[in-house]
Amino acid sequence: MFLNSRIPKKALSNHHINLKFSIYSTKFLSSLVSALQVPSIFPTKPHNQQNFPTTFDPYQYLNESAKSRDYTLEETKIIHTHFLKTNAFHSNPEFSNYLLRCYYKASAFDHALKVFDAIPHPNINSWNLIISCHNGNLRYAESWGSFCRMHSLGFYPNEFTYGSAISGCIASNFVNCGKQLYSLALKDGFSLDGYVRSGMIDLFLKSCNFNDALRVFYDESCGNVVCWNAIISGAIKHNEDRLGLNLFQQMCRGLPSPNKFTFPSVFSACAKCQQLDLGRLVHGLVIKYGDGEDVFVSTAIIDFYSKCGQVDEAVKIFSRMSVHNVVSWTAIITGFVQKGEFESALRLFKEMLSLKVEINNYTLTSVLSACVNPILLFQIHCWICKTGFYSDPTVKNSLINSYSRTGAVESSQQIFKDSKDSMNPSTWAAMITCFSQNGRLEKTFSLLKRMFREGLKPDKSCIPSVLSITDRLQLGEQIHCYTHKTGIFNNPLVGCSLFTMYSKCDCLKESYKIFREIPEKDEVSWASMIAGFTEHGFAYKAIELFQEMLVNHIVLDEKTLTPVLAACASLQSLKSGKEIHGFFFRRLIFAGSPIVHMYSKCGDLKSAKLVFNMMPFKDPVSCSSLVSSYAQNGQIEDAFHLFRELIVSDFEVDSFTISSILRSVNGPETGIQLHGRIVKLGLESDTSIGSSLVTMYSKFGNLEDCCKSFEQIDNPDVITWTAMINGYAQNGDGLAALKVYELMVESGFKPDSVTFVGVLSACSHGGLVEEGYCYLESMVKDYGIEPGLRHYACMVDVLGRAGRLEEAVGFIGKMPVEPDGLVWGTLLAACKVHGDVEIGRMAAEKFIELAPLSDGGYVGLSNILAELGNWEEVLKIRNEMKGTGIKKQPGWSYV
């Protein structure tokens, strides 16, 4: 027996050994007796004649070579038997610990526990082994219990005890127990041990207590590379990327040196922060320390270069790797996809198939993102079904998204039906996103209702898709309540979608309130709120919000730069725009197009052209901004010169740039030449270009070519129809303009406020007074559009041209808004036509009162009096103009 008479009772009481284990020990001994029939593991004869050695020296098992060897369970039982026979088990605790270690390595945890219970005088090594046994058997509560029992018996833990106990706390997430362990380690002087410290950092990181982990790291200066790796990796996993990079830089300035386990996390942070220059420096360190051959480090470098848009660099690293894993293949494919080089991505995938490289669901997700060809997408879909990946929810979601991008909504629906037995909310979210992206509003909301009926809860990936197409305030408010109820409101993406929805529904106050309620706002949220203020005419609030970002040290990037510069452009605040440009320039953040647009709108075309010339890649937005600004500021030659530069440089001129240049054309011949270039480029059917051509030809009175340009447009929109209405109206054919309007309504288009300006202008040119009244009423009644001052001015023009001046005066008096200079100027022009001095004088006085520095009122009244031969009054008005310093502006014409 293990617990025989030679063990004093005092020892039993001191170590609190439960006597019930003696029963198990007896059974265990009987099992060892049966083990004697197993052939010996101590060969003294040839292999086929193995027997027990004649002499047995237990001390041979305490040397290093014996300790490092792993024995099977049967072999361990034989050793155990010899220890019992020679009484080595009870004579020296090292033999007992050796047996414990052997059973532990053989994963025979129950046998190890029984051996521990039979040890007469266990030492600290025995307790360390039994704590490790409990951890290996996933009995973390027993591991913690063993540590407490050991401590209560007066044993002093060492660094291995603390390390094993903390490992158990990490696996079971016993944070409070871990804190107690660390307090004891501090007291006993083991807190600086790398094993203990790194384990404690790991415990706090896994329990999402990053600040506590950082506090442990900073308790004392640390030279252990494991601790540095743990805290750097933890910072990056907790989205503290810049802190992680800062810690890495501190590590490089002292000890220890980074190793191959440090670099992957650092490259990940560089990719997330788009720190290309820093990443290149880290790559240099990898080469310096000779870790470039490690497959994980190389894969991290490939992923970094790919995500930073440097796919050529990633390909170089990939080609030099002696061994490629599925992660490295996927990283390089993803890089090509992000750069838009879909053919290269698909070519690599084909090479993976030919080389029979392992493919996982992440690889397929990237490959499906590259499928813009429906036929190719169908082929890959068939391959996915053949290989069994079709059952993977991530792959199914990617298929739904891919078919959605190609407009094949029915195919997406079929995949969704195949997944109907799956209760995966992400698949429902993918289908809802598909409907919303393809404009299927009713189906989107219907599927959302079904989701609730099925007992599923829309998650943080689903709600933003629904909110992106929600233009009904009541529905948006219901979704808002749901986000609070389920707790997903705190997600930055959900919160950003909510206040964007309110902004889209013209509820800017509610939008800003939600923005303030979001607990953790990311840079996208700030940029979206700044854009909302700018779009709704509160550009000054956008600038204030940007200043608040600076005070709160929010990370700034291109997403922030674009809306804040748009606010400066809206305010035409050149000073603020220059300051913001300089601020971002110092932080090496470049975004050429928004800067060009800002300088252009603020009238500083010299700076705009300077920034434009410095841009390594010209984009259509910057080109159209500069061309348009030249034209609007009267620099027509500069506008055409820049346009010619783009053509000569083989720049792919897009519809925005061509539309801008068309609006600045000042002669029919130039317009015809541009039209020829448009036809050569095959852009005559483009909606925006077609609208500009219609406007250009109508400006020159060429209604025939105006109609031809309209007929060439594939999908005319409201703007195009309005341009056609205005073209007829401005050229005096009011009836034709109204016919175009009726045809537009019959085609299912909803007119806007600009359309009605053209319609009312057509009524004035055609002398259609009653029709004018009807269309003005239709604006409010049929389309809910409140008439503005331009509409009222058009109606005054309708009455004025018809000679109904008294009625026009009465109409102005009944207007729900105060008339401006345009309304009174229109009446004054009608008075000149009909020679009505009294009403003309009243209209002129009103006009001069509203626009004292304009010559229109004086000149209009002067012309009326001149027509009637009242030269004394004419001379008096001329003298008044000279006295106030107002000069008559010379007239001009396209002819």
Side-chain angles (χ1 to χ4, degrees), residues 352-367:
M352 285 184 75
L353 294 177
S354 64
L355 295 174
K356 296 182 179 180
V357 179
E358 177 195 358
I359 293 172
N360 60 22
N361 54 353
Y362 298 105
T363 315
L364 286 174
T365 301
S366 296
V367 170

Side-chain angles (χ1 to χ4, degrees), residues 2-3 17 20-29 31 80 89 100 103 108-120 130 133-134 139:
F2 282 111
L3 302 176
I17 297 176
K20 67 179 181 180
F21 283 101
S22 61
I23 301 173
Y24 297 115
S25 302
T26 307
K27 292 180 180 178
F28 184 48
L29 183 58
S31 69
H80 190 174
F89 180 84
L100 268 178
Y103 280 121
F109 302 118
D110 290 337
H111 289 76
L113 292 175
K114 292 170 184 176
V115 169
F116 176 77
D117 289 332
I119 298 175
I130 204 61
C133 280
H134 284 307
R139 297 175 179 175

Side-chain angles (χ1 to χ4, degrees), residues 364-419:
L364 286 174
T365 301
S366 296
V367 170
L368 287 170
S369 300
C371 291
V372 292
N373 186 328
I375 297 174
L376 183 59
L377 176 59
F378 180 72
Q379 292 175 348
I380 294 179
H381 185 177
C382 294
W383 183 89
I384 288 170
C385 293
K386 181 181 177 181
T387 53
F389 278 104
Y390 194 64
S391 59
D392 188 284
T394 307
V395 176
K396 277 190 177 179
N397 297 348
S398 297
L399 275 170
I400 291 172
N401 293 331
S402 299
Y403 278 117
S404 173
R405 284 195 303 272
T406 61
V409 180
E410 289 72 20
S411 298
S412 294
Q413 281 185 281
Q414 185 58 51
I415 296 169
F416 179 72
K417 288 178 182 177
D418 293 343
S419 310

Side-chain angles (χ1 to χ4, degrees), residues 202 210 383 413-414 533 568 713 739 808 810 829 845 859 869 888:
D202 194 28
F210 176 71
W383 183 89
Q413 281 185 281
Q414 185 58 51
F533 278 131
C568 294
I713 302 172
K739 286 181 181 178
E845 290 174 354
V859 173
K888 181 181 182 297

